[in-house]
Amino acid sequence: MVIIAANRFTTEAQRFHRDTETETEHRAMKTKSRIGILVIIIGITLSFLLAALASARQSPEPLTGNWAVRTPNNDGTFRTTYLNLKQEGSKITGTIRVTQFYYRITDNTGGPEGFVLNASMMDGKSERKVQYEGKLVGDELHISTRRRPQDNPTQMVAVRAPAGEGALPARNPLPALHKVRDNGLARTPPMGWNSWNKFASRVDDATVRSIADAMASSGMKEAGYTYINIDDTWEAGRDAQGNIQTNKKFPDMKALADYVHGKGLKLGIYSSPGPNTCAGYEGSYGHEEQDARTYAAWGIDYLKYDWCGARTLYTDEEMPAVYQIMGDALLKTKRPIVYSLCQYGRLDVWKWGADVGGNLWRTTGDIRDAWDSMTRIGFSQNDLAPWAKPGHWNDPDMLEIGNGAMSETEYKTHMSLWAMLAAPLLAGNDLRSMSPEILAILTNREVIAVDQDKLGTQGQRVWQSAVPSPPATTAATPAPPANQEIWTRTLSGGVAVAFFNRAKEEAKITIKPADLKITGKWKARDLWTLQNVTWPETEYSVTVPSHGVVMLRLSK
Ligand code: GLA
C-alpha cells in the first residue's frame, strides 16, 4: 500500500510537471527534485502510519477494552452486561458486570480465537462464580454463558463501549448506627398484593389499575387487603438532576397513585440500596433521600427495599447501616410509608430490622409456587417468633395462593401457616381472574383475624410427629421433615391451633390438650369448615388430609 501511495504521488508529480513545462529547465529540475523529496517524506510518514495501524490490528491484545451487551427490556430500558477486559499475551484479567452482579476474572484459557473466562465475587459469606466462553469475530465479541451448568448456553454479542461505562460506582461511606424512630405503621401485618409472583417484569400501569379494580370489587378490600405493591421493573434511569424516572410501562406514577387511592387502597413501590435492583434496573444507591422524596411526591405508601446490587459494594455486616439510610430518608419525607426490608434473612435481620426503621423483613430467599418451597419456608420460621411484634414483622415472603401449581388444600395450608406466623398477607396472584375457591381462601375472615390479631404474637410449633428415620442424611439429602406438626398462637382472648399434615397420605392426629399446654374448658371453632367443634379436656383426635390443615380458634 505504501508503494501504491507513493506511485500515486509520482503520477501527481508527473502531471504537475507537464503543467509547468513552459518554465525553464533549471526551475523544472528544481521543482522536480523538491517534489521527489516531498514524495519520499510523505511516503515514509505514510508507511509509518500504516505500519502502526497494521500492528494495532494484529495487536496481541485485541480483547483489551470495555465490551457491552445491551438487551432491550421492552420498556425502553436495557439490561447491560459489561466485560471490561485486559489481555496480556495469553492472560485475560478484568471484570464482568451483569445486572446486579460484579465479578472479577480469576482465570482464563484461550485467546481471541476462542476463550473461557472464569470469574467470581463474594456475595455475603458465599462465593458466586460465573463462566463465559467467547471469541472475537471482526469487531464483535461473541460470548455465551449458562445460568446453571445443566442449562443451554445463552448466546450474546458484545460490542466495544466507551472506557469507564458500566464501571462500579465508588463506595459511599456509611453512617454511624442509631435507632430509627418507629413510624407507627403496620400495627398488624400488612395486607395487600404484590406484582412479582405472578407478573414479574410484565407488570405495567394498566395491570396495576385493573388489579386495584379487582381488589376493590372482589371483596378483598373488605377483607382487609389494602396495599397494591409494584415490585421490580418499573424503573428507568435518572434525569440530569438525578431524579429517578419511570419506564414506558409506567407513564405517570403520580396519576397511578391517585387512581389507586381513589379506590380506597394504597400504592407500594420497590427499589434497592444498590446501584441495580435484582432485575438489573436502576437502584437508589447514592440517591436515597432524593428517591424517598420522589416516592412521597408521587403518593407512595409502601417501599420494598431489596438488597440486590448492594452486595457488590457492601458486606453483610454493613446491612444495618445501609438500610438505616433509607429508614431515615423515609421518615424525613413525613409521609407514612411502610418500610419493607428484603435481604433474604441474612445477618439475622430480625434482630436489627426494627432498629433501622423496618416494619417487616424478609426472613428467607424467594418463595415459589410449589409445595416444597412454601413448606420449607413456612415451617422454618419457628425460632423467629420472639422478634415479631406490632409494627415489626417477620416476612416469610408473599403468597402464592391461586398461582396454579399447588392444590386448594395446599393453598389453605399456605394461608393458615402464614396466619399462624403473623406474616404479611400479600397476595401474589392475578386478582382479576381468580376462582371463587381461591377468593374464598384469601378472604377467609376468621383465618385473617388470626393473622391480624392485635397482640401480634407469632405462633410456634408445640408438637411434631416422630421424624421418619431417613436414609443416610447428607447436605444434599437432608432428613425429611416430620409428617405432622401442631402449631399454636396466642390471640387476644384465645388460642389458634393448627394441625398440619405434611405427609403424602391422610393422617389422624391424636393429642392430649395438656401436651399442647392448653388446659381447661374452651369453645372451639374450625376456621375452614366454619363450624363449632368440641374441644375436649382429655384427648383430641382430628383427621387431616394429605398436605392439609385443620385450624381451630379456641376461646373461653
Ligand atoms: C428478589 C426478591 C423478589 C423480587 C425480585 C425482583 O429476588 O426477593 O421478591 O422482588 O427480587 O427482582
Side-chain angles (χ1 to χ4, degrees), residues 100 194 196-197 231-233 270 277-280 304 306 308 342 344 362 364-367 397-398:
Q100 51 165 325
N194 174 293
W196 189 255
N197 285 355
D231 207 277
D232 203 353
T233 79
Y270 166 101
T277 67
C278 285
K304 172 173 168 185
D306 197 348
C308 303
C342 176
Y344 337 115
R362 279 272 297 279
T364 70
D366 291 10
I367 195 168
D397 210 353
M398 304 163 299

Side-chain angles (χ1 to χ4, degrees), residues 172-215:
N172 288 338
L174 291 170
L177 286 176
H178 65 93
K179 200 166 170 3
V180 176
R181 183 168 50 79
D182 188 340
N183 61 13
L185 302 171
R187 298 343 272 176
T188 60
M191 290 178 67
W193 175 88
N194 174 293
S195 58
W196 189 255
N197 285 355
K198 174 70 186 177
F199 295 93
S201 65
R202 296 180 310 281
V203 64
D204 61 7
D205 179 282
T207 308
V208 173
R209 285 173 193 249
S210 53
I211 291 286
D213 294 345
M215 181 91 99

Side-chain angles (χ1 to χ4, degrees), residues 309-534:
R311 73 183 102 215
T312 59
L313 291 167
Y314 297 110
T315 63
D316 281 11
E317 284 65 32
E318 292 170 317
M319 282 177 169
V322 173
Y323 273 95
Q324 179 186 286
I325 297 173
M326 187 52 94
D328 282 335
L330 292 177
L331 271 188
K332 226 171 146 180
T333 68
K334 305 248 181 342
R335 185 177 172 85
I337 301 177
V338 169
Y339 188 27
S340 158
L341 276 48
C342 176
Q343 42 77 288
Y344 337 115
R346 291 200 196 159
L347 197 74
D348 294 351
V349 60
W350 38 90
K351 296 183 180 163
W352 51 268
D355 292 343
V356 301
N359 295 112
L360 59 157
W361 43 81
R362 279 272 297 279
T363 57
T364 70
D366 291 10
I367 195 168
R368 285 179 300 109
D369 183 19
W371 170 255
D372 282 350
S373 166
M374 184 276 286
T375 52
R376 195 171 45 244
I377 291 176
F379 287 112
S380 70
Q381 303 295 299
N382 189 56
D383 295 345
L384 307 188
W387 307 99
K389 53 182 173 297
H392 310 285
W393 309 101
N394 292 309
D395 173 10
D397 210 353
M398 304 163 299
L399 300 173
E400 290 284 6
I401 295 168
N403 278 334
M406 285 188 258
S407 67
E408 278 164 25
T409 302
E410 292 170 335
Y411 286 140
K412 280 184 189 166
T413 297
H414 189 0
M415 185 76 186
S416 307
L417 185 50
W418 263 234
M420 295 301 286
L421 295 173
L425 296 179
L426 295 168
N429 60 321
D430 189 344
L431 305 185
R432 302 166 304 184
S433 56
M434 61 186 153
S435 67
E437 291 77 15
I438 292 300
L439 177 64
I441 294 171
L442 284 169
T443 54
N444 182 318
R445 303 289 178 104
E446 301 192 29
V447 174
I448 290 174
V450 171
D451 181 77
Q452 295 289 302
D453 185 80
K454 64 174 193 272
L455 285 186
T457 309
Q458 181 171 324
Q460 283 190 291
R461 182 188 295 113
V462 286
W463 175 90
Q464 64 181 2
S465 57
V467 172
S469 52
T473 303
T474 65
T477 49
N483 278 327
Q484 287 85 38
E485 305 195 7
I486 304 176
W487 288 57
T488 62
R489 178 175 170 187
T490 306
L491 305 173
S492 49
V495 187
V497 190
F499 300 83
F500 294 103
N501 179 15
R502 301 175 69 174
K504 290 203 171 73
E505 310 79 30
E506 176 183 280
K508 185 171 175 191
I509 303 176
T510 300
I511 195 89
K512 289 191 175 55
D515 291 340
L516 306 179
K517 301 192 176 53
I518 301 173
T519 50
K521 286 196 192 327
W522 295 86
K523 284 185 275 181
R525 175 134 169 110
D526 184 317
L527 303 188
W528 287 109
T529 63
L530 302 178
Q531 305 286 318
N532 293 335
V533 294
T534 308

Side-chain angles (χ1 to χ4, degrees), residues 100-259:
Q100 51 165 325
F101 301 112
Y102 192 81
Y103 303 93
R104 284 197 180 281
I105 295 169
T106 51
D107 59 86
N108 73 286
T109 56
E113 62 297 332
F115 59 80
V116 178
L117 303 176
N118 289 307
S120 92
M121 67 174 277
M122 285 315 286
D123 180 1
K125 304 248 172 313
S126 51
E127 189 184 12
R128 278 181 183 269
K129 292 183 176 185
V130 77
Q131 187 178 72
Y132 278 76
E133 291 176 32
K135 63 178 175 206
L136 194 62
V137 180
D139 290 336
E140 296 174 344
L141 206 57
H142 289 201
I143 52 174
S144 68
T145 188
R146 294 167 208 266
R147 279 193 67 189
R148 290 167 303 176
Q150 66 272 27
D151 290 348
N152 287 329
T154 309
Q155 313 280 355
M156 288 164 282
V157 174
V159 294
R160 286 195 186 270
E165 189 187 297
L168 200 63
R171 212 185 99 104
N172 288 338
L174 291 170
L177 286 176
H178 65 93
K179 200 166 170 3
V180 176
R181 183 168 50 79
D182 188 340
N183 61 13
L185 302 171
R187 298 343 272 176
T188 60
M191 290 178 67
W193 175 88
N194 174 293
S195 58
W196 189 255
N197 285 355
K198 174 70 186 177
F199 295 93
S201 65
R202 296 180 310 281
V203 64
D204 61 7
D205 179 282
T207 308
V208 173
R209 285 173 193 249
S210 53
I211 291 286
D213 294 345
M215 181 91 99
S217 63
S218 62
M220 293 276 292
K221 180 182 153 189
E222 284 70 26
Y225 293 87
T226 306
Y227 291 95
I228 302 276
N229 293 346
I230 303 166
D231 207 277
D232 203 353
T233 79
W234 62 267
E235 314 87 338
R238 293 181 181 275
D239 69 9
Q241 286 71 47
N243 296 309
I244 185 75
Q245 306 292 295
T246 55
N247 63 44
K248 282 185 187 158
K249 295 188 301 171
F250 291 91
D252 188 342
M253 200 59 94
K254 169 98 178 63
L256 180 56
D258 289 346
Y259 184 86

